[in-house]
């Protein structure tokens, strides 16, 4: 089914006026990544009054920098974490059903260069199928050499014995986050980006809200709520510290940040609708080569970091590692000069309290929900695939500690997100982005001025106007990094399209679209460290 409602306007002055109105919300969320947006949607769908603020744009951090996979986690199965895999496999199917225009099944092939690899990995992947049960996307198949090369035309032939084909999912992470935000808004939630929470409000030692500030004007707002959720990802410890300082309690950090680097190259390096999966690289990580939005993503790394910056840079050795590993499996492997975009995400891994977090590859990907003495509810860890289950756990914590009256879970299990089309989806996520990326809202986009004016990379003038009017976009970066994925796909193309996007945003919003800041940022995505 599709949503019957017209797109809701996201005029910033109206959002800020709503934020200024005196009101005690049931639930206030700080952080607009996958987790925070999932919490806002679940709470709003249960009938609670909800407000969410983010210091930057929605999904600006980790949630737009995933490997683009909706997956149960083959590597977690190898670690013996059956419960995490089972939950993620269930959530994978739920996500694919609720946003079929943004998340779809994808076939993966694991090539074998040793005789034992096909049966060894094949049996493990059959367990993966068994755990999925009715939620499976397709059966694991054992492939001979010829069939493996048919699926992976550019795979290294020397020593190739065969392979294993299995199924997982892929998605457009930033646009899915936006769909969560807009679906929550349709359920009555107020969501405001570029409005950082600057301090927490405490009444008699209990968290009662927060103060936030509009980044553009400096205008301040006091938001009051029965429950406050800290969903700031790798930054949760800063807010926990703020809470601890206010009530005079020491706070021990719980996040061990890990950096994941992704390299994007042209599809010619693996001209297939199948993804390549290497189960064990030289450093023990999994390596993927994933077709996505007309390009090929190579990744990812897992490097501990002590700092949590907004735009982390790739380490030189990480880029070399990905390219070297790709060269071991592809007959024609990309070089540094072939990189179209390079981007880095920070994972908020939850470290055991007796661990210094130096070996992030061994830290569990499970999420953690905590409530402080003051009642601040913090959620971190986890992964995109399980965002919905994490949201249910957060609300359950709010009920358990008495912040909100308990209501039944499961309201988002079968809740189509904004844009879900009435007709079956015919495009693939591996296809270049275009009007089909808007699902059932494509006619709304086409009705705006400039539907035939191409700005490059599949982006039209009408799409920029749609982003400004209905998708919370404020800056050139919002449009070219997250409403369109151009920055992540081809940084040079994004630089070329930026002035035209800036002119349209200026016309639509009447505010500085921050063109120079975007051009500076895009250079970072264009050049690998040397």
């Amino acid at each position: 089914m599709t949503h019957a409602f017209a797109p809701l306007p996201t005029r910033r002055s109206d959002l800020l006026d709503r934020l200024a109105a005196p009101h005690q919300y049931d639930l206030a969320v700080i952080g607009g990544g996958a987790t925070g947006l999932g919490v806002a949607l679940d709470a709003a769908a249960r009938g609670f009054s909800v407000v969410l603020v983010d210091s930057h744009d929605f999904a600006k951090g980790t949630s737009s920098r995933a490997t683009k996979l909706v997956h149960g986690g083959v590597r977690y199965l190898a670690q013996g974490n059956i419960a995490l895999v089972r939950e993620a496999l269930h959530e994978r199917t739920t996500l694919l059903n609720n946003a079929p225009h943004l998340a779809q099944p994808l076939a993966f092939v694991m090539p074998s260069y040793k005789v034992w690899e096909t049966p060894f990995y094949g049996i493990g992947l059959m367990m993966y199928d068994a755990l999925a049960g009715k939620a499976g996307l397709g059966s694991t198949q054992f492939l001979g050499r010829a069939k493996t090369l048919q699926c992976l035309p550019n795979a290294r032939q020397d020593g190739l014995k065969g392979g294993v084909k299995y199924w997982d999912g892929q998605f457009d992470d930033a646009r899915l986050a936006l769909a969560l935000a807009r679906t929550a808004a349709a359920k009555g939630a107020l969501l405001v980006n570029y409005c950082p929470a600057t301090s927490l409000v405490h009444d008699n030692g209990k968290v009662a809200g927060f103060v936030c500030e509009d980044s553009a004007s400096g205008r301040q707002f006091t938001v009051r709520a029965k429950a406050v959720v800290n969903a700031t990802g790798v930054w949760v410890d800063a807010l926990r510290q703020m809470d601890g300082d206010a009530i005079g309690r020491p706070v021990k950090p719980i996040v061990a940040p890990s950096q994941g680097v992704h390299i994007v190259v042209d599809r010619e390096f693996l001209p297939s609708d199948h993804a390549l999966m290497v189960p064990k690289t030289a450093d023990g990580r999994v390596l993927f080569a994933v077709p996505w939005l007309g390009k090929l993503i190579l990744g990812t790394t897992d490097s501990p970091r002590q700092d949590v910056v907004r735009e982390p840079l790739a380490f030189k050795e990480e880029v070399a590692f990905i390219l070297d590993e790709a060269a071991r499996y592809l007959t024609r492997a990309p070089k540094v000069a072939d990189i179209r975009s390079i981007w880095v995400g920070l994972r908020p891994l939850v470290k055991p309290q007796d661990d210094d977090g130096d070996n992030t590859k061994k830290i569990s990907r499970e999420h953690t929900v905590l409530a402080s003495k003051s009642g601040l509810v913090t959620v971190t860890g986890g992964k995109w695939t399980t965002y919905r289950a994490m949201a249910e756990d957060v609300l359950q914590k709010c009920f358990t500690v008495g912040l909100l009256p308990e209501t039944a879970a499961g309201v988002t299990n079968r809740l189509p997100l904004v844009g879900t089309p009435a007709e079956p989806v015919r495009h693939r996520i591996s296809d270049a982005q275009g009007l089909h990326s808007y699902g059932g809202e494509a006619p709304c986009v086409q009705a705006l001025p400039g539907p035939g004016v191409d700005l490059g990379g599949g982006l039209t003038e009408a799409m920029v106007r749609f982003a400004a009017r209905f998708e919370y976009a404020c800056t050139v970066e919002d449009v070219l990094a997250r409403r369109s994925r151009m920055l992540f796909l081809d940084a040079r193309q994004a630089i070329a399209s930026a002035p035209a996007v800036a002119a349209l945003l200026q016309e639509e919003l009447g505010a500085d679209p921050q063109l120079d800041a975007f051009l500076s940022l895009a250079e970072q995505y264009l050049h690998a460290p040397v």
Side-chain angles (χ1 to χ4, degrees):
M1 62 174 282
T2 187
H3 285 269
F5 55 81
L8 286 177
T10 55
R11 191 178 296 106
R12 188 160 185 86
S13 58
D14 293 347
L15 298 176
L16 295 177
D17 285 348
R18 283 179 63 190
L19 195 60
H23 180 73
Q24 186 186 39
Y25 290 89
D26 294 321
L27 184 75
V29 183
I30 304 172
T35 307
L37 293 169
V39 171
L41 174 55
D42 196 326
R46 297 195 206 197
F48 292 112
S49 59
V50 177
V51 60
L52 177 148
V53 298
D54 193 278
S55 59
H56 294 72
D57 188 24
F58 305 129
K60 154 79 175 172
T62 307
S63 295
S64 61
R65 301 155 192 265
T67 314
K68 320 307 179 197
L69 303 181
V70 185
H71 63 124
V74 173
R75 62 183 291 215
Y76 314 139
L77 184 63
Q79 293 170 358
N81 197 334
I82 303 296
L84 177 62
V85 175
R86 184 182 282 117
E87 176 184 65
L89 286 169
H90 170 77
E91 291 300 325
R92 176 188 71 178
T93 304
T94 301
L95 200 162
L96 266 57
N97 288 338
N98 287 344
H101 58 307
L102 297 173
Q104 297 167 5
L106 177 68
F108 290 73
V109 174
M110 197 184 292
S112 304
Y113 290 91
K114 295 183 175 67
V115 175
W116 59 267
E117 287 179 323
T118 297
F120 178 78
Y121 291 119
I123 289 167
L125 288 165
M126 288 169 79
M127 286 176 57
Y128 196 58
D129 292 348
L131 284 172
K134 291 180 181 177
L137 303 178
S139 298
T140 293
Q141 295 174 263
F142 291 74
L143 306 179
R145 175 186 163 88
K147 189 68 175 175
T148 301
L149 289 172
Q150 189 180 328
C151 295
L152 302 175
N154 195 24
R156 179 170 62 85
Q157 297 186 31
D158 182 34
L160 181 66
K161 302 290 191 283
V164 182
K165 177 178 175 177
Y166 73 100
W167 290 86
D168 246 324
Q170 70 171 158
F171 72 136
D172 183 338
D173 50 2
R175 286 204 63 82
L176 186 73
L178 187 62
L180 291 175
R182 296 180 60 220
T183 308
K187 296 287 184 185
L190 170 62
L191 300 98
V192 187
N193 52 358
Y194 294 104
C195 197
T198 54
S199 62
L200 293 171
V201 174
H202 289 81
D203 288 347
N204 301 317
K206 296 294 183 182
V207 170
F210 55 79
V211 176
C212 56
E213 181 178 295
D214 174 35
S215 293
S217 66
R219 184 179 172 193
Q220 290 201 333
F221 308 85
T222 298
V223 174
R224 302 192 74 86
K226 297 173 186 173
V228 178
V229 173
N230 172 15
T232 52
V234 289
W235 294 276
V236 293
D237 285 330
L239 204 60
R240 291 177 65 243
Q241 189 64 55
M242 197 186 291
D243 178 48
D245 289 346
I247 61 173
R249 294 186 68 90
V251 170
K252 192 170 184 181
I254 59 172
V255 169
S258 164
Q259 171 165 303
V261 173
H262 300 84
I263 288 170
V264 176
V265 297
D266 288 336
R267 282 282 288 278
E268 66 191 51
F269 291 101
L270 188 63
S272 171
D273 283 322
H274 292 72
L276 166 69
M277 192 268 214
V278 177
K280 195 165 187 181
T281 58
D283 82 336
R285 268 201 67 82
V286 170
L287 179 80
F288 292 104
V290 180
W292 186 69
L293 300 183
K295 298 291 184 183
L296 184 72
I297 298 176
L298 301 173
T300 177
T301 56
D302 195 337
S303 308
R305 271 194 91 115
Q306 301 309 313
D307 56 336
V308 284
V309 292
R310 285 283 160 191
E311 287 288 348
L313 290 166
F315 302 133
K316 179 181 175 182
E317 56 270 24
E318 290 178 303
V319 176
F321 170 76
I322 292 173
L323 293 177
D324 289 349
E325 286 295 320
R328 291 178 57 197
Y329 293 92
L330 300 176
T331 53
R332 179 169 171 251
K335 304 279 195 292
V336 169
D338 298 308
I339 295 174
R340 297 292 184 186
S341 183
I342 180 167
W343 34 276
V344 184
L346 297 180
R347 304 179 190 91
L349 304 183
V350 183
K351 61 184 178 183
Q353 290 304 283
D354 58 351
D355 188 354
D356 58 11
D358 281 344
N359 187 353
T360 52
K361 286 188 284 290
K362 292 184 179 176
I363 297 180
S364 170
R365 267 55 179 171
E366 290 181 271
H367 62 274
T368 293
V369 183
L370 306 170
S372 73
K373 291 291 183 185
S374 75
L376 177 68
V377 175
T378 293
V379 54
T380 195
K383 57 181 187 164
W384 238 120
T385 307
T386 55
Y387 84 88
R388 201 198 63 82
M390 291 167 67
E392 291 191 338
D393 287 351
V394 169
L395 285 174
Q396 187 56 53
K397 178 65 77 172
C398 292
F399 304 151
T400 302
V401 298
L403 299 174
L404 294 173
E406 185 155 358
T407 59
V411 293
T412 56
N413 226 331
R414 290 179 178 82
L415 178 62
L417 301 184
V418 162
T420 296
E423 303 298 323
V425 174
R426 289 183 170 81
H427 77 280
R428 302 181 186 209
I429 301 294
S430 56
D431 297 340
Q433 56 186 351
L435 188 62
H436 56 259
S437 305
Y438 293 83
E441 291 191 308
C444 303
V445 177
Q446 290 296 82
L448 297 177
V453 182
D454 182 29
L455 305 180
L459 183 69
T460 66
E461 187 177 297
M463 292 173 184
V464 178
R465 296 188 191 279
F466 191 80
R469 296 182 193 185
F470 304 110
E471 295 185 325
Y472 298 93
C474 298
T475 70
V476 174
E477 183 195 334
D478 295 346
V479 173
L480 290 178
R482 289 171 293 277
R483 308 313 183 271
S484 158
R485 308 312 309 277
M486 201 185 299
L487 178 62
F488 283 71
L489 294 163
D490 190 333
R492 191 169 278 107
Q493 174 70 67
I495 290 168
S497 300
V501 171
L504 285 167
L505 288 177
Q506 182 75 48
E507 178 189 325
E508 287 285 334
L509 303 173
D512 176 14
Q514 300 179 28
L515 173 60
D516 290 344
F518 175 76
L519 294 175
S520 175
L521 174 67
E523 286 292 327
Q524 181 177 315
Y525 283 64
L526 186 57
H527 298 296
V530 290

